[in-house]
DNA sequence: TTGTAAGCGTTATCAA
DNA sequence: TTGATAACGCTTACAA
């Protein structure tokens, strides 16, 4: 079957190319009878307008590029699902760029956007992938984009953010209120804004409570389960062990719980564990994980809506929207041991 | 900054459009000096060939559409990651179609492929989304595609499959060997091939062992955690409770474990639980989950490689590749209680 | 080795 | 209301 094109429809319906196109795009401009003839031909032949031709002519692809470090992290998977749903409801498809945090991969996907393979992008990384000419206006040099999760050091672009410092500080305050003073932190990669923000909140809360900060209790992780495992093993070897461990995401907290239980610690009686993100599995881990909840669904929706508004031509001043976190207390935290 | 195009480069380098294109696509055909002049102009101006023009002219987009029911299922997330990696290594980008098992969404994404927004697709659903004209050869009517996970009722297309019946039968046999006879099954949606195959294996193993099949012990799930929760609650209410529960995926097994523990059952002393997939979290659940492992990484790679081979023009006879499963015994299964 | 020009499949402008 | 035609940005056959 030779692929049927607009020319074939025009021939079958005995009209011009233009009329076929109009029937599909602006049916109101076509006479009822003509329109019906064209639609019949379309239905009969199964004609689908070729997107490459359409894209070139209209200068839009209907694609949104999502650039994100790791889709196997449940938080990111939830995020993408929300984005995909919002995009799909608005007639956009999602191009997925899983970068594994590699700058080269980030660059590669940004290039794709700049080459017009997508109309805009959601950028969940803090690394600046643009070659910016300081002599020219910034905005004209950037693709249409929204930044989230890891804040980008660029003004004048739309962002959706969480107050990481405040959220972390509340989590630590909650542990302090339970009587903990030796509180460990298993951070994310220290080249990310999220980890730095959360660490800052951790420090602030301790300082305000007059608790001395012990650098031995701060261990850099990478947001993967294994990092939680290794960090916790390290913490357990300390002469002065922590009574609580604040992991900067749930995956690492799950790793931490695992190590603690393998070494016969009771949670939370011996050691409390708290996570960040509130992924689905945090409810199903034993003990169920206390964690800082991020409104992942809302983040995905907001990002996508902001981007689509721009793609539809909005020239409003770019804004940063802060979404709100919530401490979800479950069973992995309790009073500090005597 | 007006977007710089091939014309601008041609003007700057003082060559024709064709030479610019050649420099970028087939540099060997261009004289050293000329080439350098063009490359300089490209570097200086930051020119990136417009993909829409390129796509239309070459009749390829470099996109692969992945149509999959639910990206938040860790098995699927792992799968997509593997696909994305393989695709990216071969110069393809991934268009993500998360369908939430909705036939309309499946159709919508298939339409996109047929309209040329992607060069081919990986189809992880068993529902046939094509309007096939029986008078014409099948293959000419289908987009370039590979089918996996849920087998499609179409001959003559490439597939990557697991022997679900055999895998399930082995899992049940393992439970039988442990002395269990009241073995429950929490299935996937019964309109999927995977659930039917696994159920068939379950039945076969029991029959071969001469164990009567009790339909009350077979409960339809949907591969989500909640379904595991509900099914298990139902099973616990039975007068004759099972001593083992075979969940057709890990998420449901995690739900099952949760309910059992909430009701003070010891796993595996009172009730054994076994899952399917071997997602990362199955290691970190307490007790660690015994499960049937699927080589998810390999599935993703094989699918993508098969598709790309086709896209590169292979006309080999379509094949079905079977990947091998493996029973991974952890701590959630043990001898049947006396 | 390079340039000219056709053409990929659409949409949109303009004229009829 | 419809048709003819140019144009979107690129690659490639053919000619020079």
């Amino acid at each position: 079957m030779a692929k049927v094109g607009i020319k074939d429809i025009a021939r079958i319906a005995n009209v011009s190319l233009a009329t076929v196109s109009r029937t599909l795009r602006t049916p109101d401009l076509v006479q009822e009878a003509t329109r019906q003839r064209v639609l019949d031909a379309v239905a009969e032949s199964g004609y689908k307008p070729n997107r490459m031709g359409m894209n070139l002519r209209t200068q839009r692809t209907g694609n949104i590029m999502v650039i994100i470090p790791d889709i196997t992290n449940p938080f990111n998977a939830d995020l993408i699902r929300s984005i995909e749903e919002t995009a799909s409801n608005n007639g956009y498809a999602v191009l997925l760029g899983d970068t594994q945090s590699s700058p080269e991969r980030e660059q590669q996907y940004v290039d794709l956007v700049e080459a017009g393979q997508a109309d805009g992008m959601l950028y969940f990384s803090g690394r600046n992938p643009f070659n910016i000419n300081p002599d020219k206006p910034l905005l004209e040099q950037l693709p249409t984009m929204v930044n989230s999760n890891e804040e980008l050091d660029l003004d004048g672009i739309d962002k959706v953010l969480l107050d990481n410092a405040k959220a972390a500080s509340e989590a630590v305050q909650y542990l302090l209120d339970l009587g903990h003073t030796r509180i460990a932190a298993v951070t994310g990669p220290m080249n990310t804004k999220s980890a730095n923000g959360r660490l800052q909140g951790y420090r602030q809360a301790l300082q305000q409570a007059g608790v001395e900060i012990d650098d031995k209790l701060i261990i850099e992780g990478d947001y993967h389960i294994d990092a939680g495992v290794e960090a916790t093993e390290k913490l357990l070897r300390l002469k002065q062990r922590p009574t609580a461990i604040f992991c900067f995401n749930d995956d690492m907290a799950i790793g931490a719980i695992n190590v603690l239980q393998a070494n016969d610690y009771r949670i939370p009686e011996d050691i409390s564990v708290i996570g960040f993100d509130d992924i689905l599995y945090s409810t199903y881990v034993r003990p169920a994980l206390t964690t800082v909840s991020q409104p992942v669904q809302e983040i995905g929706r907001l990002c996508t809506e902001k981007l689509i508004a721009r793609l539809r031509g909005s020239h409003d001043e770019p804004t940063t929207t802060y979404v709100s976190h919530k401490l979800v207390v479950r069973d992995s935290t309790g009073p500090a041991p005597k």
Side-chain angles (χ1 to χ4, degrees), chain A:
Chain A
M1 167 184 78
K3 204 69 185 149
V4 28
I6 197 172
K7 283 183 211 149
D8 302 296
I9 304 299
R11 195 168 21 73
I12 298 172
N14 197 32
V15 293
S16 69
L17 300 191
T19 299
V20 176
S21 180
R22 271 194 291 261
T23 304
L24 267 27
R25 299 301 150 218
T26 49
D28 294 350
L29 299 183
V30 180
Q31 207 169 25
E32 168 69 29
T34 322
R35 194 196 315 159
Q36 205 50 58
R37 221 155 7 109
V38 172
L39 290 177
D40 287 351
V42 168
E44 213 173 316
S45 62
Y47 166 68
K48 297 199 179 77
N50 180 297
R51 300 281 298 212
M52 299 175 198
M54 201 176 119
N55 293 349
L56 177 59
R57 177 60 231 229
T58 61
Q59 295 290 61
R60 69 181 288 282
T61 61
N63 293 336
I64 288 175
M65 180 98 224
V66 176
I67 300 177
I68 200 161
D70 176 16
I71 191 204
T72 65
N73 178 315
F75 178 82
N76 289 340
D78 282 348
L79 189 59
I80 290 173
R81 163 125 91 91
S82 167
I83 291 166
E84 213 264 2
E85 198 181 339
T86 312
S88 172
N89 289 340
N90 287 279
Y92 283 88
V94 166
L95 260 176
L96 179 66
D98 183 320
T99 64
Q100 297 298 310
S101 300
S102 143
E104 292 76 24
R105 298 285 298 272
E106 284 172 6
Q107 188 64 58
Q108 168 192 335
Y109 286 116
V110 170
D111 285 350
L112 222 44
V113 178
E114 293 185 328
Q117 188 79 318
D119 303 335
M121 68 181 195
L122 300 181
Y123 194 71
F124 296 101
S125 161
R127 227 175 269 114
N128 186 336
F130 307 107
N131 293 318
I132 289 166
N133 181 337
D135 300 336
K136 295 178 187 166
L138 174 69
L139 287 184
E140 291 179 10
Q141 303 181 60
L142 298 181
T144 307
M145 66 179 290
V146 175
N147 166 234
S148 182
N149 280 13
E150 297 295 346
E151 185 177 3
L152 204 48
D153 256 337
L154 282 176
D155 289 330
I157 62 175
D158 287 300
K159 300 181 183 179
V160 174
L161 298 174
L162 187 90
D163 188 338
N164 281 298
K166 183 148 166 273
S169 147
E170 284 176 22
V172 172
Q173 186 59 53
Y174 166 73
L175 292 171
L176 288 166
D177 290 345
L178 284 170
H180 295 274
T181 53
R182 289 196 58 77
I183 301 173
V186 181
T187 75
M190 290 314 294
N191 61 2
T192 64
K193 282 267 173 41
S194 61
N196 279 286
R198 291 170 200 180
L199 187 57
Q200 186 193 332
Y202 164 90
R203 289 184 191 280
Q204 276 170 357
L206 291 182
Q207 275 163 356
Q208 266 174 31
V211 173
E212 201 184 342
I213 290 170
D214 180 352
D215 283 340
K216 283 208 158 41
L217 293 181
I218 300 174
I219 298 185
E220 181 172 357
D222 64 4
Y223 291 143
H224 290 98
I225 293 185
D226 279 349
V229 169
E230 286 161 28
T232 306
E233 287 171 345
K234 210 163 170 181
L235 289 170
L236 291 181
R237 288 197 291 268
L238 289 180
K239 184 172 178 193
Q240 282 268 58
R241 285 193 278 255
T243 64
I245 304 178
F246 175 23
C247 295
F248 284 11
N249 83 345
D250 287 345
D251 266 8
M252 296 195 298
I254 288 173
I257 285 180
N258 217 258
V259 171
L260 292 175
Q261 290 178 335
N263 289 284
D264 298 330
Y265 289 85
R266 292 165 305 161
I267 307 171
E269 291 81 0
D270 298 324
I271 297 189
S272 286
V273 175
I274 186 165
F276 205 110
D277 283 352
D278 194 22
I279 63 173
L280 184 57
Y281 294 95
S282 64
T283 324
Y284 290 96
V285 162
R286 287 294 92 142
L289 190 63
T290 295
T291 188
V292 178
S293 177
Q294 296 197 57
V296 56
Q297 190 95 4
E298 185 189 354
I299 295 173
R301 187 177 47 76
L302 280 174
C303 286
T304 314
E305 286 174 353
K306 277 194 178 206
L307 182 63
I308 290 176
R310 289 266 170 241
L311 293 177
R312 290 189 176 147
S314 156
H315 284 93
D316 296 353
E317 193 67 15
T319 55
T320 295
T321 304
Y322 279 88
V323 297
S324 57
H325 58 271
K326 198 175 71 195
L327 182 68
V328 177
V329 176
R330 300 206 182 91
D331 310 327
S332 65
T333 45
K338 299 287 144 61

